[in-house]
Amino acid sequence: MATKSSANGADPEYREESFVQLVDGVYALTSDSEPNVGAVEAEDFLVCFEARSTPAAARRWLLRLRERTAKPVRYLVLSHFHAVRTLGASAFDADVVIAHERTRTLIAERGRQDWAGELARTPEAFPEAEGIPGLTWPTLTFSHRLTIPLGGERGDLELRHPGRGHTAGDVVGWLPQQRILFAGDLVESRAAPHCGDAFHDEWATSTLDNVEALGAELLIGGCGPVARNRAEVDAAIAQSRHFLDELRRTVTDVRDRAGTPAEAYRAAHDALAPRFRDRPSFDTLPLAVRRCWDECDGVTWPRIWTAQRESEVREALAPSR
């Protein structure tokens, strides 16, 4: 079932959202342009995956979830540090907020700048932004794997760090008994990967290899519809890898022949637009090219994005006509 509502009280064409019950006790709210979120029922509590951009956005998801279960949220899992996935955390009243240890580092280092930059670029994605109480801080972090027993015959939820990719601290939620994977922004079924804070080489190789090796049969990606069988899961991983491979190939080719970042952007755009131009997040390609170019120059840790820097990079690589 899908609904439309207004993000800011003035936009009647606000993003369509679909509530999905994947199996008994496992739910997702998906959208073509909002971050996907999910929840897993344990015997007497809930684990929620992702927090959305504001408490108001989170409450919209929780209202749908409360139609199915009244169990309290014990754990809220953040897949990474970006504002659109973290700043709604206060609405969950979770006992524990879990993230990778590098996500805590990134929030401290650049959380304010990411918040300001995303709000400036897409204010419609932050409904009732004045209700955000501040940065979201994890209360429990881990490095490689953390297991949450769900009780009864429900099995475990495994939180894993498959490697650096979309950010340095990506976390996936894996239900091995149900073969369901909450992949965060590491995998996109029908969107262009957002790569401004990425580690492209690792993401396109070992990180996606580790995701693929899980053998998921249902996958909830960063946004868009659920991949509902092994063939669709494999296709989602393959198209995410294809985007990264083409980005790396075109940027590296231009740099190796002493070209410019603007030329690299045009080459990447020409290679990727036929498949991705109409998909969410393709407009972030200038940021992806700039980050990939930096990696070629030996900048191993992503530079911090501010609203001003993003504007300058967009104008330098893809000047407005």
Side-chain angles (χ1 to χ4, degrees):
M1 182 170 65
T3 62
K4 285 189 179 181
S5 59
S6 172
N8 55 18
D11 181 8
E13 295 303 317
Y14 186 59
R15 295 153 168 83
E16 188 174 87
E17 298 174 335
S18 297
F19 186 93
V20 184
Q21 180 170 322
L22 301 165
V23 297
D24 184 36
V26 182
Y27 312 100
L29 189 69
T30 67
S31 168
D32 285 341
S33 49
E34 289 288 292
N36 289 343
V37 292
V40 178
E41 284 192 59
E43 282 292 286
D44 57 359
F45 63 87
L46 287 172
V47 183
C48 287
F49 195 80
E50 310 288 34
R52 288 209 152 175
S53 59
T54 67
R59 285 192 293 270
R60 191 174 63 243
W61 151 233
L62 289 168
L63 282 173
R64 305 292 295 277
L65 183 60
R66 289 310 180 201
E67 295 173 1
R68 303 300 180 99
T69 175
K71 294 175 183 177
V73 179
R74 181 175 296 175
Y75 300 103
L76 173 63
V77 180
L78 308 176
S79 70
H80 60 280
F81 80 96
H82 285 150
V84 293
R85 294 189 176 272
T86 62
L87 295 182
S90 62
F92 292 82
D93 196 25
D95 296 331
V96 182
V97 179
I98 305 175
H100 190 267
E101 59 189 13
R102 291 198 193 104
T103 291
R104 169 175 277 279
T105 298
L106 289 162
I107 290 170
E109 179 187 71
R110 62 187 68 198
R112 286 281 175 188
Q113 296 94 326
D114 181 72
W115 177 1
E118 291 205 45
L119 182 60
R121 176 163 52 88
T122 55
E124 70 279 2
F126 290 81
E128 300 179 39
E130 67 279 2
I132 300 171
L135 292 172
T136 297
W137 294 97
T139 59
L140 174 64
T141 62
F142 68 99
S143 58
H144 299 295
R145 185 183 301 186
L146 188 154
T147 300
I148 300 174
L150 301 175
E153 298 180 355
R154 298 173 183 270
D156 295 332
L157 171 63
E158 297 178 4
L159 304 180
R160 299 187 179 207
H161 172 60
R164 299 184 302 179
H166 175 66
T167 72
D170 294 292
V171 169
V172 301
W174 171 232
L175 291 163
Q177 184 169 296
Q178 299 85 352
R179 315 303 294 174
I180 295 174
L181 182 68
F182 291 93
D185 278 338
L186 284 174
V187 180
E188 297 288 1
S189 292
R190 297 183 194 171
H194 189 309
C195 304
D197 294 302
F199 295 79
H200 292 97
D201 291 345
E202 192 171 333
W203 187 0
T205 55
S206 59
T207 297
L208 284 181
D209 289 345
N210 289 334
V211 170
E212 189 171 27
L214 293 172
E217 296 175 5
L218 285 167
L219 182 147
I220 304 88
C223 69
V226 175
R228 291 189 167 275
N229 53 54
R230 187 58 190 269
E232 289 186 5
V233 171
D234 289 346
I237 294 170
Q239 75 93 33
S240 299
R241 198 191 301 268
H242 170 75
F243 184 98
L244 298 168
D245 286 344
E246 286 297 279
L247 176 65
R248 294 188 303 152
R249 178 186 66 80
T250 53
V251 172
T252 300
D253 284 352
V254 171
R255 184 182 177 278
D256 286 350
R257 59 177 172 79
T260 67
E263 291 171 337
Y265 169 78
R266 290 193 291 272
H269 187 279
D270 289 347
L272 292 167
R275 185 168 180 178
F276 292 96
R277 66 159 54 91
D278 296 324
R279 297 189 179 187
S281 294
F282 187 64
D283 66 328
T284 65
L285 183 61
L287 284 61
V289 170
R290 181 67 260 181
R291 170 59 188 148
C292 194
W293 188 279
D294 284 351
E295 285 182 297
C296 292
D297 279 345
V299 180
T300 57
W301 191 250
R303 295 175 178 169
I304 295 174
W305 290 103
T306 63
Q308 179 178 348
R309 179 172 177 247
E310 179 174 333
S311 177
E312 291 171 350
V313 166
R314 287 182 180 277
E315 187 60 27
L317 271 59
S320 56
R321 297 292 190 265

